[in-house]
Amino acid sequence: MSVVNFFDRFRGASVRSLAERLPRSVAGQVFVLQVTLVVLLVLGALLALLLQSRTDIDRAARNRSIAVAETFAHAPGLLEALEQPNPSEVLQPITETTRERAGVDFIVVMDTEGIRYTHPLPERIGQRFVGTIEPSLAGRVLTERVDGPLGDEVQAVVPVTNPEGEVVALVSAGLKVENVTGLVNRQLPVILGTTAAALAVATAGTALVTRRLRRQTHGLGPAEMTRVYEHHNAVLHAVREGVVIVGGDGSLVLANDEAERLLKLAPDAEGRHIRELPGLDPRMADLLASGRLATDEVVPAAGRLLAVNQRPTDPYGGHGGTVVTIRDTTELRALSGRAQVARKRLNLLYDAGVGIGTTLDVVRTAEELAEVAVPRFADFVTVDLSDPVLRGEEPAGTSTDMRRTASRGIRDDHPLYPTGRMIAFVPSTPQARGYGSGRAELVPDLSQAPGWQAQDRERAAAIVAYGIHSLITVPLRARGVVLGVVNFWRSEKPEPFEAEDLILAEELVARAAVAIDNARRYTREHAMAVTLQRSLLPRALPEQSAVEVAHRYLPAQSGVGGDWFDVIPLPGSRVALVVGDVVGHGLHAAASMGRLRTAVHNFSTLDLPPDELLGRLDDLIGRIDQDETAPGPGGAPGNGAGMTGATCLYAVYDPVTRRCALARAGHPMPAVVDPAGRVEFPDLPAGPPLGLGGIPYETVELDVAEGSQLVFYTDGLIEERSRDIDVGLELLRQSLAGPGRSPEDSCRAVLDALLPAHPKDDVALLIARTRGLGADRVADWDVPFHPGAVAGIRAAAAAQLDAWGLSDLAFTVELVLSELITNAIRYGAPPVHVRLIHDRVLTCEVSDTSSTSPHLRYAATTDEGGRGLFLVAQLAERWGTRYTPQGKVIWAEQQLPGSGTGPARGPEAAFDPLDAFDVDPL
């Protein structure tokens, strides 16, 4: 038995066992009775079948014996065989063959004395036949059961007559009884199987009938059903709610005591038609006779207000008609009105808790307060806030000057101060008093409030003439600070605001004050973070010729984060492109971003390959994390959160070779758009985020066609909760595809395609279109590895400068090249190569395969050398060393004539002292 049936049976009564319950239920008793009857009927049918089968088989055996005997007795040639001297010799084979074919156990031919001529047992031939022969001698056919030579036998005896009708012999044929019984036994499984199937079908039918009966009686026994009826009757007449059942013909079937009392029904009302009941209100009679649906329909009857619910009984298995419940709501009407008001106020406060403060915006939060209160509490609502609150600050001093931040009303043509107006409330107004005291003010009649009218008498008269007649002013107070006031105005209802309305207004404003204060504090922190973020990001990108750059930075809706980008010019007309991301939002993320950007700038001055720069950055962030998270004095916990989780992508583009070297530390892969508009995401090893340490980074170099676009971005651009990252990358590919776009156009297309209306994460986007430095702006020479080759290189460099129109720089460039080449030949390793690059500056580069770099030092007055690099440092704008896989490159930059103040020229420019300069030792 299921748990559901178990509890349905008892309905809260004590638990009883299955054995106790089943015999007591009506359904159980009926089931046992029906099963017993079915079993008895089936057993009787089985016995009858067995008896009938046995009788039929016995009859069939006798009939077969007679038929075989008569057939053999009238067989042709039998009389001639009997006249033979030895009839047995002729007849024995014939009878055996016939016996086997006829399916009997024996055929015996005998004379009129009963002496056998044939028998299945040859030794029995010549002996007397066992059985009765007298009737057969008289010409009759006899069947009997005897104990013969073969055992218990059923046999038939038939006379054999000659043409004259005389009996001349007898023929007997028969079967052994055990063979007859075997036939019955072979049919017994079929009979039993049929009987079992009939029993199963009958039992199943009984179970189905019992199941339906159990559903109808709910498994109850007779005594329990009696109690249920008694309880039902008691409850029906004791409940304080009228119950009426109306038949399909409109007659009253049942009415409990409460219904008789409410409807003033006579004791003999049941059975009469509804419209014939005396004293029943016609409106109630019409409703009961109509049979239509009714839900809490209030009907006046017998001087009362009755709430009527009426439903048809047809869908619930009853006969046609309706069931009606009636409640007396006369005394509840007044209470329901007050409860309705209380429910509306609770709903208003609930909606205020849900609908106010959905954003961290001060103005929007004030507007939400006004939207919630109109028109459910007031006809017009205005919110006035102190001006510093709108900037995220706390109100300063006791000034009652406030700015109207939000205004909402049932109409738009009201004469109240407009939104955005700065209002200086005079001390006599309820706004000024509430702002100063922090207590709410109730003005029941504005036409009789001179203190309020003193603010602006003309406007006050217009407000009263408009129909606004009552006011509640509640200060917005949070954490002990008054931020402003909220004004609730009433015009449509003629009744003024009451004390209960004042309490509701205070509760409503108290909930809004917390949300406005949170928005104010967020505004302050957000402004500080944005200011810090903007100050740390590049204000203007440096001038360079390698790439044309466009960029975007968009803070998240929840605040600024640690996304950043940078463009750093490098020696040799190269440029470094950097994009990074510090996980998190707020001031800490912005400050961490600034430290990371500064570190990248410092490391870029070393002119390191991208993988080495990221490695040093990783070490630096690891040390920063250890310092910030290390325990303080006395074992106090550290006060820093570190920068674990920062990512970075660093790329160096060389416009001379048109190659780009890239490495990334856990950052999204860049995109490359070729001049034809095809977009690819190069296979760049990801590397671990910065600060984890232990795994080296890897640099990948790409050949980039001139006019290609390098696209760098942070994860906020492609990652969004509503879509997969692969979808974001595909959207990025589609938005970048297409030839002929400028970086600015590409930036707009990418942001339009990928950014939602309110991004959850900040986004940094940097797009650089590559440029190439033509062969006419670059000159290079291989230098023979001996000191005598210096003069030839100086002459070639001077000729190239003349061709570029830079003859004014010839002296300085020759001096710098002479010093750098001599140092490379003396202290470096072959091959030595010289390159001049004419761009925004003139760059002189000398490379060799040695990894040892010269260093600048001050030579003593007695030293014969050591002044060469000092002169290079004085004459060049900048100089330095960068290392390559093949060795090192020493470079020096000169300002072009007319682009600024160049390095000072020595007074000895009239003669050529280059061969006299010493070189610096390493």
Side-chain angles (χ1 to χ4, degrees), residues 541 544 547-553 565 567 577 709-712 742-748 764-769:
L541 296 181
Q544 44 78 36
V547 291
E548 177 188 353
V549 176
H551 57 86
R552 295 289 189 277
Y553 171 76
F565 63 90
V567 178
L577 305 170
Q709 291 188 7
L710 304 175
V711 182
F712 308 104
S742 67
E744 282 291 336
D745 294 338
S746 296
C747 278
R748 284 192 293 269
L765 175 63
L766 179 66
I767 299 180
R769 183 163 61 185

Side-chain angles (χ1 to χ4, degrees), residues 197-231:
L199 178 62
V201 171
T203 304
T206 302
L208 291 176
V209 173
T210 304
R211 181 179 180 186
R212 181 175 180 85
L213 182 60
R214 175 173 284 117
R215 286 201 303 268
Q216 293 176 347
T217 60
H218 301 283
L220 299 177
E224 292 171 324
M225 291 182 66
T226 301
R227 286 200 303 272
V228 167
Y229 174 78
E230 292 173 349
H231 293 166

Side-chain angles (χ1 to χ4, degrees), residues 171-384:
V171 176
S172 176
L175 295 168
K176 291 188 291 185
V177 172
E178 64 180 12
N179 291 338
V180 174
T181 306
L183 292 176
V184 176
N185 293 337
R186 285 194 295 274
Q187 291 182 358
L188 186 61
V190 177
I191 296 174
L192 292 178
T194 306
T195 304
L199 178 62
V201 171
T203 304
T206 302
L208 291 176
V209 173
T210 304
R211 181 179 180 186
R212 181 175 180 85
L213 182 60
R214 175 173 284 117
R215 286 201 303 268
Q216 293 176 347
T217 60
H218 301 283
L220 299 177
E224 292 171 324
M225 291 182 66
T226 301
R227 286 200 303 272
V228 167
Y229 174 78
E230 292 173 349
H231 293 166
H232 170 268
N233 192 57
V235 170
L236 179 66
H237 292 284
V239 69
R240 302 307 298 169
E241 184 169 356
V243 178
V244 175
I245 299 177
V246 181
D249 58 352
S251 61
L252 180 63
V253 178
L254 181 145
N256 69 345
D257 296 346
E258 183 67 9
E260 292 178 355
R261 185 183 70 85
L262 295 175
L263 300 179
K264 305 296 184 181
L265 298 177
D268 60 347
E270 292 184 0
R272 301 173 64 179
H273 197 277
I274 289 294
R275 298 189 184 278
E276 298 176 356
L277 296 176
L280 183 61
D281 188 278
R283 286 169 292 187
M284 178 62 74
D286 291 339
L287 175 59
L288 297 180
S290 67
R292 61 180 175 82
L293 291 176
T295 302
D296 289 335
E297 185 172 328
V298 178
V299 179
R304 298 176 179 274
L305 294 176
L306 303 180
V308 180
N309 289 276
Q310 183 167 263
R311 294 291 185 275
T313 58
D314 295 345
Y316 308 101
H319 297 288
T322 57
V323 60
V324 184
T325 60
I326 305 171
R327 298 193 315 274
D328 187 0
T329 63
T330 306
E331 299 175 354
L332 298 177
R333 269 325 218 184
L335 293 176
S336 64
R338 289 194 291 271
Q340 183 73 10
V341 173
R343 184 169 63 251
K344 288 182 178 179
R345 293 186 175 185
L346 288 176
N347 290 338
L348 175 62
L349 291 177
Y350 172 78
D351 293 341
V354 174
I356 299 176
T358 59
T359 66
L360 290 173
D361 182 83
V362 174
V363 175
R364 179 57 192 153
T365 304
E367 292 174 348
E368 290 172 346
L369 169 59
E371 291 171 359
V372 167
V374 176
R376 299 164 64 181
F377 178 67
D379 298 317
F380 298 92
V381 175
T382 57
V383 182
D384 304 322

Side-chain angles (χ1 to χ4, degrees), residues 426 428-429 443 445-455 457:
V426 299
S428 63
T429 59
V443 184
D445 190 354
L446 292 175
S447 62
Q448 303 298 322
W452 169 75
Q453 296 177 7
Q455 173 69 33
R457 295 191 179 277

Side-chain angles (χ1 to χ4, degrees), residues 640-656:
M643 281 194 292
T644 302
T647 65
C648 185
L649 172 62
Y650 187 84
V652 176
Y653 174 68
D654 188 347
V656 178

Side-chain angles (χ1 to χ4, degrees), residues 474-504:
V474 184
L476 275 161
R477 186 182 182 90
R479 298 184 304 106
V481 178
V482 178
L483 308 176
V485 296
V486 182
N487 306 296
F488 301 94
W489 312 82
R490 175 172 286 183
S491 65
E492 291 296 308
K493 293 182 179 180
E495 302 85 5
F497 284 117
E498 300 175 350
E500 293 183 358
D501 298 320
L502 183 64
I503 296 174
L504 177 60

Side-chain angles (χ1 to χ4, degrees), residues 781 783 793 816-825 831-836 843-849 880-882 888-892:
W781 302 274
V783 180
I793 298 300
V816 170
L817 286 177
S818 179
E819 172 61 25
L820 297 182
I821 294 173
T822 303
N823 267 345
I825 293 174
V832 178
H833 190 77
V834 173
R835 185 170 68 169
L836 295 180
T843 305
C844 305
E845 295 181 348
V846 177
S847 62
D848 64 84
T849 57
T881 304
R882 76 171 178 273
K888 67 175 180 299
V889 176
I890 303 177
W891 54 270

